[in-house]
Amino acid sequence: MVSVSHSLERRLILGIESSCDETAVALVRQDRTIFAQRIASQEEEHAPYGGVVPEIAARAHAERLAPMLEAVMDDAGLSLADVDAIAATAGPGLIGGVMVGLVSGKALAMAADKPLLAINHLEGHALSPRLADASLEFPYLLLLVSGGHCQILSVEGVGQYQRLATTIDDALGEAFDKTAKILGLGYPGGPAVERLATEGDASAVPLPRPLKGSKEPHFSFAGLKSAVLRAADSGLHKPADIAASFQQAAVDCLIDRLEMALNTAGPFPALVVAGGVAANQTVRGALETLAEKHNMRFTAPPLALCTDNAAMIAWAGCERLAVDPDFAGDPLDLKARPRWPLDPEAEAVRGAGVKA
């Protein structure tokens, strides 16, 4: 058995993540040691539909979570008695999946008499770079890009976030998935589009850059998706050229909006990217170039921490306990939240961006 220290600086957190289509469990200690982690993908279940079906996702979480919890404990050679707190995603996300993970976290907390830490999934992403990089300090400028969210945030500390921009319609990850579906690339779409783009000419297809140059600080990708559909339906372009041109248009939008954020809210010592789209190497390369231009440090978590995972949820719990070591836990009657903004004081924006 592994010896586990329970000092305030080295407490062990069990993390549970189930907000979308990955069932994940991890054990993380406050010194950044990841004792064990497992992620079960649902790609096969959702592939026939070209996207995530909420009911199927929730059912898969319910079937897989208990065996995964047992497996992670076995992997680490630990028991629930060795854990100091249970951190579970409480939102935002597909409500059925969130409920599965949160209810499981509540049950474990109650059975083992451990504190429950209800974690905002977005905060998990926002703090995940600090799990991989102990030298990353607050504040930093964060680009959070995933299948459901596209935001620019000033991360000033644990629980301290100022939203500088969000999407007024679709998230970039969703745009990648829809582009993949239009091109018949299957699911998950993001990696498929990135692979095909390497074979194409990024300047071959004239696609729009929504809101580029606009005084409005936010993102918009709905029009870009529509343009991709028109280009595909025209029969005039190779799929690889469409993929490459789409990816470049998306990158141009990201860089333009980040430039605006830096000009209005900067400077920042570091530029950080997190979320599933952060795994895209073209996106990473463009962000690294932008950071160099502004004399900023660029930080991105390793690929394993970009997509939804439980290590980031456990780490967010570690961060909370580091700020308040005496925190007794969240109430066991708290509800799962399909929407949960990191910056609740941010002004609502036109379109669907209010959900962010």
Side-chain angles (χ1 to χ4, degrees):
M1 298 290 285
V2 177
S3 176
V4 180
S5 171
H6 293 264
S7 66
L8 293 181
E9 296 79 16
R10 293 168 64 84
R11 284 185 289 189
L12 184 67
I13 310 300
L14 173 66
I16 299 172
E17 159 60 23
S18 61
S19 66
C20 191
D21 61 334
E22 278 93 15
T23 311
V25 180
L27 280 166
V28 178
R29 197 167 60 186
Q30 284 182 299
D31 63 358
R32 293 179 170 80
T33 300
I34 300 177
F35 278 75
Q37 63 174 326
R38 290 202 179 200
I39 302 175
S41 172
Q42 300 178 12
E43 291 181 9
E44 291 185 6
E45 287 86 345
H46 300 289
Y49 308 98
V52 178
V53 181
E55 293 81 2
I56 293 176
R59 189 180 309 119
H61 289 310
E63 294 171 351
R64 298 175 180 181
L65 189 52
M68 287 190 68
L69 284 162
E70 183 176 358
V72 164
M73 288 298 180
D74 288 343
D75 291 344
L78 300 172
S79 70
L80 195 57
D82 297 309
V83 173
D84 293 289
I86 313 295
T89 297
L94 302 178
I95 191 62
V98 174
M99 289 176 66
V100 171
L102 182 58
V103 168
S104 298
K106 290 179 179 181
L108 291 172
M110 183 180 296
D113 193 25
K114 306 289 183 178
L116 172 71
L117 305 175
I119 303 299
N120 184 316
H121 174 80
L122 300 181
E123 185 166 42
H125 279 304
L127 298 175
S128 63
R130 284 171 48 83
L131 170 58
D133 186 352
S135 66
L136 178 62
E137 298 181 352
F138 302 117
Y140 50 84
L141 184 67
L142 171 68
L143 173 65
L144 177 54
V145 276
S146 66
H149 303 274
C150 188
Q151 301 179 31
I152 300 174
L153 299 131
S154 172
V155 180
E156 298 156 11
V158 180
Q160 301 175 48
Y161 308 96
Q162 181 185 1
R163 195 199 71 198
L164 304 176
T166 187
T167 179
I168 65 173
D169 42 53
D170 302 324
L172 182 53
E174 180 184 356
F176 266 96
D177 287 341
K178 292 295 176 60
T179 295
K181 189 171 184 178
I182 290 168
L183 298 178
L185 302 181
Y187 179 84
V193 171
E194 183 180 10
R195 287 192 297 269
L196 184 59
T198 62
E199 305 171 13
D201 179 357
S203 63
V205 184
L207 295 176
R209 273 70 171 161
L211 293 185
K212 182 180 178 182
S214 169
K215 292 183 180 180
E216 184 175 11
H218 304 301
F219 297 96
S220 172
F221 295 105
L224 179 56
K225 289 194 314 182
S226 299
V228 167
L229 178 60
R230 290 193 296 271
D233 288 345
S234 73
L236 300 175
H237 307 286
K238 298 177 182 178
D241 289 344
I242 296 175
S245 298
F246 160 78
Q247 183 171 258
Q248 187 58 54
V251 167
D252 290 347
C253 292
L254 292 178
I255 298 304
D256 179 76
R257 302 290 82 192
L258 282 166
E259 287 274 17
M260 183 173 186
L262 287 169
N263 290 335
T264 57
F268 290 87
L271 171 62
V272 176
V273 63
V277 182
N280 183 291
Q281 294 302 307
T282 299
V283 170
R284 285 196 183 213
L287 296 176
E288 188 168 10
T289 299
L290 176 67
E292 291 176 358
K293 173 184 174 182
H294 288 271
N295 297 314
M296 303 168 66
R297 173 185 176 186
F298 174 67
T299 298
L303 298 184
L305 294 179
C306 289
T307 55
D308 293 348
N309 64 90
M312 71 178 189
I313 301 303
W315 175 249
C318 291
E319 292 265 37
R320 285 183 61 184
L321 290 179
V323 171
D324 185 2
D326 297 324
F327 181 63
D330 289 303
L332 294 179
D333 61 352
L334 66 84
K335 296 181 180 179
R337 302 175 64 173
R339 298 179 181 178
W340 188 1
L342 281 179
D343 180 5
E345 304 302 320
E347 292 184 4
V349 300
R350 63 186 176 96
V354 293
K355 70 183 180 183

